[in-house]
Every structure is written in C-alpha cells, then in structure tokens.
Amino acid sequence: MKIKNFDYFYNKDKGKKCLILGGAPSIDNIDYKNFDGIIISMGDVPIRLQDESNINYWINANSEFPLPDIDYEAINKVKNATLLIAHSVVRKLDYSVIRKKLKINWFEFDQRHFEGRSCNDQFDYRFDLKESQECCSHIGDTTIQEFLQNKYKTTSHYSTASTVAIHALALAIILGCKIIYIGGVEIPIYDKDYVHYKTNSVKGLLKEIRKYGLTKGRIKQIINFLFKFKKKSFFYPDIPIILQDFEYLNSICRNNNISLYNLSKNSNLKKISNFKTLDPNKINSE
C-alpha cells in the first residue's frame, strides 16, 4: 500500500520507545534483538538484520539502495517494515513495477523543495543549485522538515540533510516517540573510520566479502584498514551542518519532554551540548 501523506505517521507510535540503527560497528554493542519498542533503520542494515530484529521503518535518502522498483525482492523480505524513500534524490521511479511487485507499505517524501519551490529557486542558503532538477517535476505537498516544523511550532527547519540518520530522527519525533536512542551513527572525520558494522577488522571485512561479494566500497575499506589513510570521510565537508541539524532536532526533543540518547561513545554526536550519551546496555532497562 502506498501511504498518501505525513499525516499517516503523525503520533502513530505515540509514547513508545524508538531505536534508530545506523550501520557503524558500534551497533554490535546494542541488544536490538530484545528491544521493546519500534526500530527505524537505513541503508542495507534492515537486510542484514532481518532475521535478528523487527525493523518497523526503513528510510532511504540516496539514489542507490533500496529503490522500490528495482530492489523490491530484497525489500519484501523485511516483511513488517514500512519503507520511506526520498523521491527528491532518486531518478524517476517506475510506479507500475512498484504496484505489481512491492508487498510492503511505502511512502515517498520530499526533503528539498522548501515552500514548494524548485531546486534553483530556494531561499535556504544551505541548498543552492543553479538549475532545475528532474525531481522538480514532482514536488511534494510539503517537506519532512516543514511538516516537523509546523507540528512543533519552530521558527526554522533543518537542512536537506547530508545523512539519512537526520531524517530517521525527524521521523521518530513525528511518530510521537518519547524515548529515542541513536546507535551506529558515527559521522566520522576520516574515511578509514567509515566502516560497516561487523567490518571493523580485516577479518570481519573478509567475512563480509565472502557473504556479500567484493565491491569498490569494500576494496577501499581494505586499503584503509591496511594503510590507515588519513583521507577525510564523505561526511567531512558537511559535518558542521550535520551537527547543527542534530542540535536542532535535539532542541525539539528537549522542549517537548522527549528523551534523546546517543549510544556510541565514538560518535561525533558527543560534540553537541546537551545531547546525552547512554551506555547501550541500558536501553532495555529504561
């Protein structure tokens, strides 16, 4: 079933606990199998955890994976999840394929056309494109940022978001969750630290290669492990704005009696004032 608008999600899980799972190695320290709340995840983590946990929401904001008109077989394996995809960052979807093949609930959202404006007609200094893009032909009714801003009466909104974890946190707030934990979201400075969980050693990475195959990304990870290159991560140029976005969402939580915790001691989220860090062993005892 295709979900029509954000109203479907508003306070849908009011009062519940929420665990947001990114793909960094630190999620190995989290007992997500026994978590007694809802789980929001991203990337290929839901595929990897499909036999170990119940993913309730799978959110995507990239043009590679998962795409509902191509990766429907993989998506359908995460049976109890609702898929949210930022249609403003993917090429035009084949809706006829989605209608026939996709078996789970899904929703496409806008995360860049603020005030219904095209990409080349934005007032937001954080998002500046000189030409209209393909996504401008299907601008949504509102962006996830503006929906959140309207519901929580803030004077501003967060950026287009350089990591999908920001949208995941926004979703948790929209859902009405009262305790939110963020795990596996590191936002690393160096490329060598941008690794997937269970691949934080050469042995672990080789095991991943045997299971999922050799890709350019994994070749780069091997090189990083072996030579400890000091190349800056994909996130590095945007880290200041990423932290500003998390700080903005943290302020919404603080002002609305929502408890928000970072579960990774190595995450750059620790740089945000009043953003609490919690021992991951305590999430099932809170």
Side-chain angles (χ1 to χ4, degrees), residues 211-267:
K211 186 173 181 180
Y212 297 106
L214 185 63
T215 64
K216 290 181 180 179
R218 292 192 178 97
I219 291 173
K220 186 166 71 172
Q221 286 180 2
I222 291 175
I223 294 173
N224 287 335
F225 278 130
L226 295 178
F227 297 100
K228 302 294 183 182
F229 285 169
K230 290 295 183 180
K231 180 182 177 182
K232 296 296 193 298
S233 77
F234 169 82
F235 295 110
Y236 180 73
D238 300 313
I239 285 179
I241 292 180
I242 289 173
L243 295 182
Q244 286 175 17
D245 286 343
F246 274 112
E247 186 171 20
Y248 166 81
L249 293 172
N250 185 38
S251 69
I252 290 179
C253 290
R254 296 201 328 270
N255 293 333
N256 291 276
N257 297 315
I258 301 169
S259 299
L260 176 63
Y261 300 99
N262 160 48
L263 301 180
S264 174
K265 64 181 181 180
N266 297 318
S267 174

Side-chain angles (χ1 to χ4, degrees), residues 18-24 40-46 57-66 82-90 107 109-111 144-145 148 158-174 180-188 194 196 234-235 238 241-243 245-246 249 269:
C18 174
L19 174 60
I20 296 172
L21 285 178
I40 300 174
S41 195
M42 59 209 78
D44 64 353
V45 177
Y57 300 95
W58 185 356
I59 189 164
N60 173 44
N62 70 70
S63 59
E64 298 178 4
F65 182 87
T82 294
L83 177 69
L84 295 91
I85 184 167
H87 66 199
S88 42
V89 298
V90 302
F107 176 64
F109 67 95
D110 198 323
Q111 47 75 259
I144 185 172
Q145 296 93 326
L148 182 71
Y158 67 89
S159 75
T160 55
S162 295
T163 170
V164 68
I166 295 170
H167 297 314
L169 177 53
L171 174 62
I173 297 171
I174 289 169
I180 304 171
Y181 306 102
I182 301 179
V185 177
E186 309 280 287
I187 317 169
Y194 185 35
H196 202 283
F234 169 82
F235 295 110
D238 300 313
I241 292 180
I242 289 173
L243 295 182
D245 286 343
F246 274 112
L249 293 172
L269 292 177

Side-chain angles (χ1 to χ4, degrees), residues 72-108:
Y72 48 83
E73 290 185 355
I75 296 170
N76 289 337
K77 291 179 181 179
V78 189
K79 297 180 180 179
N80 297 319
T82 294
L83 177 69
L84 295 91
I85 184 167
H87 66 199
S88 42
V89 298
V90 302
R91 46 92 183 126
K92 188 176 181 180
L93 297 171
D94 188 335
Y95 294 101
S96 64
V97 171
I98 297 172
R99 284 193 294 270
K100 292 178 182 177
K101 301 292 187 179
L102 194 65
K103 305 301 182 184
I104 69 172
N105 292 340
W106 73 289
F107 176 64
E108 53 183 341

Side-chain angles (χ1 to χ4, degrees), residues 119-137:
C119 294
N120 61 330
D121 187 31
Q122 289 291 317
F123 290 140
D124 194 317
Y125 73 93
R126 297 165 296 184
F127 182 60
D128 183 25
L129 293 178
K130 303 302 181 185
E131 296 180 359
S132 178
Q133 306 294 305
E134 182 180 358
C135 61
C136 298
S137 63

Side-chain angles (χ1 to χ4, degrees), residues 35-53:
F35 183 67
D36 58 343
I38 67 165
I39 298 180
I40 300 174
S41 195
M42 59 209 78
D44 64 353
V45 177
I47 296 294
R48 294 166 183 265
L49 297 185
Q50 61 183 299
D51 297 324
E52 301 179 48
S53 66

